[in-house]
Amino acid sequence: MKRFYRFIAILAWIGLLIIIFVSFGDRKNSFEPGSGLNSPQNLNNFPKITAPEAKVYSIDKNKSELIVRLYKKGIFSGFAHNHIVIAREFSGSVEFDEVDPAQFKIAIEVPANSITADLPEIRRKYGLEVLSQKDWIDINKTMRSSRQLNIEKYPIVKFSSGSLKRIQGKQFEITGEFSLHGITKLIAVPVKISVENGILKLQGEFSFLQSDYNITPFSGALGTVRNKDEALLKFDISAPNKNEK
């Protein structure tokens, strides 16, 4: 009987040794290059986590507006007019991600020959009296001439930026390059940006001095009637997502 128990004990030890050998005996091979979950090959199979790409919006000029307000001054300014200038043609795009404003980009170009002053419907919209046809023709001729915008020499007005800082909620600040009359300056523009139903809205305004861009404000009657140097540019941009119909 003792021999029988001794035999059983020996078998048990042999079985235990076999289990240990099978489980751990080939352990070093499991860490060889190209094997196991930690191998480079298997790690490359895991999905990479990347930030979402900014959506691209194409500016719709028919649902957007770019205007410049010019104001009169001088001792006989009562006989003069405030002016409102509109860009009838412009194009551009906006890249924007609501979560990551750092991905922001904007580019807008305005053909200078599309810039028109004091259109009757625009003056009515902003509560200004409509000018006579003669005044309208004279004002636009002067504005486009070499004395002011010089549209033949400087055919494009543009703004571009890749910098956006959130102020609060939908309020942001864009820092970008504004090019007018052959001069480019870095400016900061406060804007409101919102997206609804795939349409991006970008609204804001900023003041600039015409003289900073080598433009001489209009002056007549020996300077007794003239425009202020400071002008106000206002924009209301509507841009649908390019990838949404």
Side-chain angles (χ1 to χ4, degrees):
M1 183 62 69
K2 289 182 179 180
R3 290 181 179 179
F4 175 77
Y5 285 125
R6 187 177 300 143
F7 178 74
I8 295 299
I10 292 171
L11 289 178
W13 276 105
I14 292 173
L16 181 60
L17 290 173
I18 291 173
I19 292 172
I20 292 172
F21 179 82
V22 171
S23 299
F24 302 101
D26 199 35
R27 188 178 181 86
K28 73 172 184 176
N29 293 330
S30 65
F31 292 95
E32 290 181 356
S35 66
L37 290 175
N38 292 325
S39 70
Q41 181 178 358
N42 286 328
L43 287 175
N44 289 335
N45 292 331
F46 281 92
K48 292 180 174 60
I49 300 175
T50 57
E53 292 185 358
K55 293 180 179 179
V56 180
Y57 300 85
S58 182
I59 295 173
D60 184 349
K61 69 179 181 65
N62 296 317
K63 296 182 179 179
S64 304
E65 187 175 79
L66 293 174
I67 65 164
V68 174
R69 300 293 304 263
L70 299 171
Y71 299 96
K72 61 186 179 181
K73 65 180 296 186
I75 60 175
F76 291 137
S77 61
F79 298 98
H81 306 281
N82 293 322
H83 301 285
I84 186 160
V85 179
I86 188 168
R88 293 183 294 172
E89 297 290 334
F90 52 92
S91 60
S93 62
V94 183
E95 295 182 26
F96 179 64
D97 180 80
E98 294 179 80
V99 177
D100 183 11
Q103 298 191 64
F104 177 84
K105 288 183 182 179
I106 186 170
I108 302 176
E109 287 197 354
V110 179
N113 62 9
S114 78
I115 298 174
T116 307
D118 297 317
L119 288 170
E121 62 270 25
I122 300 301
R123 288 186 67 85
R124 290 191 191 99
K125 177 179 177 180
Y126 285 89
L128 301 176
E129 75 279 10
V130 174
L131 305 181
S132 69
Q133 185 175 22
K134 180 182 182 305
D135 284 346
W136 183 82
I137 291 173
D138 289 344
I139 289 167
N140 279 279
K141 184 177 180 180
T142 299
M143 181 187 69
R144 297 181 177 195
S145 72
S146 59
R147 292 170 55 191
Q148 291 193 303
L149 290 182
N150 199 353
I151 64 173
E152 291 186 3
K153 185 175 182 179
Y154 307 110
I156 298 294
V157 178
K158 61 183 179 179
F159 178 78
S160 62
S161 173
S163 174
L164 181 70
K165 179 175 68 175
R166 189 188 298 275
I167 304 301
Q168 183 179 10
K170 296 180 181 180
Q171 302 298 325
F172 297 84
E173 183 181 77
I174 299 174
T175 301
E177 294 184 337
F178 180 50
S179 299
L180 173 66
H181 198 245
I183 304 293
T184 298
K185 289 186 173 293
L186 191 67
I187 62 173
V189 184
V191 297
K192 177 183 178 182
I193 303 178
S194 60
V195 179
E196 186 174 349
N197 298 325
I199 305 294
L200 179 141
K201 293 283 189 179
L202 192 151
Q203 300 164 310
E205 62 182 50
F206 65 92
S207 297
F208 65 94
L209 297 179
Q210 298 176 70
S211 58
D212 283 347
Y213 296 87
N214 288 345
I215 298 173
T216 302
F218 172 78
S219 177
L222 300 177
T224 58
V225 176
R226 60 188 187 273
N227 289 337
K228 291 182 179 180
D229 191 7
E230 185 178 25
L232 177 67
L233 191 154
K234 301 182 69 174
F235 52 91
D236 188 347
I237 301 295
S238 180
N241 189 329
K242 280 187 175 183
N243 297 322
E244 294 185 10
K245 297 182 180 179

